[in-house]
Amino acid sequence: MRGPRARGILKYASRCLRLKGYLRHPGDGRVRPQIGARHLLWGLLLGYVLREHSYHGVEWLVRSRARRAMAVGRGFGDDALGYFTQRLDPEPTRQALATACRQAKRNKAFDNSRFIGLAIDGTGAGRSRQRRCQWCVPVRNDKGEVGCHGHHLVMVAVVGSGLTLPVDVEPWAEGDSEYGAGQRVLGRAVGRLGRRFADYVVVDAKFASAPFLHAVDELGLKVVARLKSNLPDLFQAARKRFESQRPQGVFHCGSDRIEVWDAEDFDPWESLRWESVRVIRYRQYQGNRLVAEAYWLTNFSTSRVGSRSLWPLSKSRWEIENQGFNDAKNRYGMEHIAHHHTNAVLITWLLMILAMTIKRLYRLRYLHRGSHQPPTAIELVRALRLSLGSKPPLRFQLTHAPMDLSLHLSQRPTHLPILSSGHRPTGRAFPQ
């Protein structure tokens, strides 16, 4: 049966993304390992690609006949994964994420975009009744009582090129803040990617403070930040000026009409070491209905980036929300704490975003060569699951194009391991 396979993804990650050394030596901290780290690591990564985010789901995969097609050398249990993630050094995985993104740029994955951006934002993921790791932060009700404990992290992702790639995550504990974690993860990401990798940083209003803007300046990047009432003087000055003027530009994006106001001569606030601040305001209409209005501040000059070009840079902030957090929580299980241990929680998030990065580059760039249209995300998952079975009878082989997944699930052979993390699979492919 033709089409994408697990071995093909492993070959792509090893050769095209230059991750062969990492996949063999990922920073295993176990003293006397009985199971090779490469088997455990690739089993976890492929599990996330197949949307099996629980350790039990990965165990069922590697203990079935599908293990050979997965390119996993031996079987193991969920307890081995917990022991492994507790002792895995997170720094090699962070370096692997940066290596994959740098290699993607060398392979011209971002050549269809003039600017490459880095988006930073935070979210919460996973709750527990008791405090069980360093990252557990108490969640209090209106009376100040602790109802449960949650986990918070900040993510940095490559945006603005039509290909959203997570680069790093930084959890923060009680007594820390999203603002501080954002500064740490940005400095680490730029240090590993290089100062010339990206052109700008796009953030929400909570990061629009003088220390953060100065830190971005020192990294050699421009800033596009949301402007809200947290900077009242600048916000009111921009609002007063723009509401008395007609829009300076009107253009269309698809069926939407965009009105833009732009000025670069606003005075900076007292602690900001800028000569002036540029503020842009846009209104987005669908028909005659106003659907969005926002103010943004930046240190891009109008000679380098015009109003029409600055609008998509500001909109790229939503990529980390939609292709970052939304995908990670709904499709990769970020809300699920597979093993509640301080290091294991961090490693799980890092391996998850590494699997997301590898899968997106494989699907949208490698499988998109020539005139072939890339498969959708769910089509790729279904094709990979079908490929894990042994060679099907002739009547079950696909007769259309390689990415045609018209084979109805009710007609699949019983020996093909179509798995779900919520049900224990049965049949000859899964010996008891």
Side-chain angles (χ1 to χ4, degrees), residues 158-220:
V158 178
V159 298
S161 63
L163 183 64
T164 306
L165 301 180
V167 179
D168 198 357
V169 295
E170 176 73 9
W172 54 275
E174 187 177 8
D176 199 356
S177 66
E178 182 178 332
Y179 179 81
Q183 286 187 308
R184 293 193 302 270
V185 74
L186 176 62
R188 188 167 58 234
V190 174
R192 286 194 166 97
L193 293 173
R195 287 175 173 260
R196 300 178 65 181
F197 180 88
D199 302 290
Y200 68 96
V201 176
V202 57
V203 293
D204 198 8
K206 55 180 170 285
F207 292 101
S209 65
F212 185 85
L213 300 181
H214 294 157
V216 177
D217 283 340
E218 293 174 359
L219 294 174

Side-chain angles (χ1 to χ4, degrees), residues 79-137:
D79 55 342
L81 292 174
Y83 188 80
F84 173 65
T85 53
Q86 280 186 217
R87 292 158 178 81
L88 188 63
D89 186 2
E91 295 310 313
T93 305
R94 283 174 165 148
Q95 185 61 48
L97 280 157
T99 300
C101 292
R102 290 201 313 269
Q103 194 60 35
K105 187 176 182 180
R106 292 192 186 102
N107 294 340
K108 302 180 180 180
F110 310 118
D111 275 8
N112 58 350
S113 177
R114 179 185 174 190
F115 296 105
I116 300 176
L118 295 175
I120 300 175
D121 203 3
T123 189
R127 294 193 176 190
S128 63
R129 292 183 177 274
Q130 299 178 351
R131 180 182 175 89
R132 300 180 61 183
C133 73
Q134 175 186 341
W135 313 122
C136 287
V137 177

Side-chain angles (χ1 to χ4, degrees), residues 35-328:
I35 304 175
R38 65 183 185 276
H39 306 308
L40 297 167
L41 178 69
W42 182 243
L44 277 173
L45 288 174
L46 191 58
Y48 287 123
V49 170
L50 296 172
R51 302 186 181 180
E52 286 289 342
H53 54 264
S54 70
Y55 288 177
H56 288 288
V58 177
E59 177 187 358
W60 294 335
L61 279 170
V62 300
R63 286 187 171 178
S64 70
R65 293 183 181 179
R67 176 167 56 85
R68 183 176 180 181
M70 293 173 62
V72 178
R74 60 168 297 177
F76 47 81
D78 63 319
D79 55 342
L81 292 174
Y83 188 80
F84 173 65
T85 53
Q86 280 186 217
R87 292 158 178 81
L88 188 63
D89 186 2
E91 295 310 313
T93 305
R94 283 174 165 148
Q95 185 61 48
L97 280 157
T99 300
C101 292
R102 290 201 313 269
Q103 194 60 35
K105 187 176 182 180
R106 292 192 186 102
N107 294 340
K108 302 180 180 180
F110 310 118
D111 275 8
N112 58 350
S113 177
R114 179 185 174 190
F115 296 105
I116 300 176
L118 295 175
I120 300 175
D121 203 3
T123 189
R127 294 193 176 190
S128 63
R129 292 183 177 274
Q130 299 178 351
R131 180 182 175 89
R132 300 180 61 183
C133 73
Q134 175 186 341
W135 313 122
C136 287
V137 177
V139 179
R140 304 180 185 275
N141 57 20
D142 297 337
K143 299 180 180 179
E145 302 172 345
V146 177
C148 61
H149 292 78
H151 301 79
H152 302 276
L153 70 147
V154 176
M155 179 188 293
V156 57
V158 178
V159 298
S161 63
L163 183 64
T164 306
L165 301 180
V167 179
D168 198 357
V169 295
E170 176 73 9
W172 54 275
E174 187 177 8
D176 199 356
S177 66
E178 182 178 332
Y179 179 81
Q183 286 187 308
R184 293 193 302 270
V185 74
L186 176 62
R188 188 167 58 234
V190 174
R192 286 194 166 97
L193 293 173
R195 287 175 173 260
R196 300 178 65 181
F197 180 88
D199 302 290
Y200 68 96
V201 176
V202 57
V203 293
D204 198 8
K206 55 180 170 285
F207 292 101
S209 65
F212 185 85
L213 300 181
H214 294 157
V216 177
D217 283 340
E218 293 174 359
L219 294 174
L221 300 174
K222 299 296 184 179
V223 183
V224 180
R226 183 74 182 271
L227 176 59
K228 295 182 180 178
S229 57
N230 59 320
L231 297 172
D233 294 340
L234 180 61
F235 181 69
Q236 293 299 330
R239 190 173 181 178
K240 181 179 179 180
R241 181 190 297 188
F242 290 151
E243 287 184 350
S244 62
Q245 298 176 353
R246 297 176 62 85
Q248 299 172 357
V250 179
F251 60 93
H252 289 81
C253 179
S255 60
D256 294 356
R257 187 178 83 259
I258 314 298
E259 298 179 350
V260 178
W261 292 257
D262 192 356
E264 59 177 347
D265 57 349
F266 288 96
D267 295 328
W269 57 97
E270 183 177 356
S271 57
L272 183 63
R273 300 191 301 267
W274 288 4
E275 294 183 0
S276 61
V277 180
R278 181 183 178 186
V279 178
I280 181 175
R281 174 203 189 189
Y282 74 83
R283 283 182 173 178
Q284 184 173 354
Y285 292 87
Q286 290 181 352
N288 294 322
R289 183 170 62 93
L290 177 65
V291 295
E293 179 181 8
Y295 290 78
W296 295 82
L297 67 88
T298 182
N299 56 350
F300 270 118
S301 63
T302 54
S303 59
R304 184 180 181 187
V305 182
S307 303
R308 184 165 184 172
S309 298
L310 187 59
W311 176 75
L313 301 189
S314 64
K315 296 289 283 186
S316 66
R317 194 199 80 83
W318 294 105
E319 293 183 29
I320 195 172
E321 292 280 356
N322 299 326
Q323 283 77 44
F325 298 136
N326 187 40
D327 272 6

Side-chain angles (χ1 to χ4, degrees), residues 349-402:
W349 289 338
L350 288 173
L351 293 179
M352 184 183 302
I353 65 173
L354 178 59
M356 293 169 64
T357 296
I358 294 173
K359 180 181 176 182
R360 285 175 182 172
L361 288 171
Y362 178 76
R363 180 175 68 90
L364 297 175
R365 292 299 181 261
Y366 183 77
L367 296 181
H368 190 41
R369 295 173 300 172
S371 60
H372 298 286
Q373 290 297 318
T376 63
I378 189 59
E379 285 176 344
L380 177 60
V381 172
R382 289 169 179 167
L384 290 173
R385 287 182 178 274
L386 289 172
S387 72
L388 295 183
S390 58
K391 186 175 181 180
L394 182 62
R395 66 180 182 274
F396 291 113
Q397 294 186 15
L398 299 181
T399 58
H400 296 81

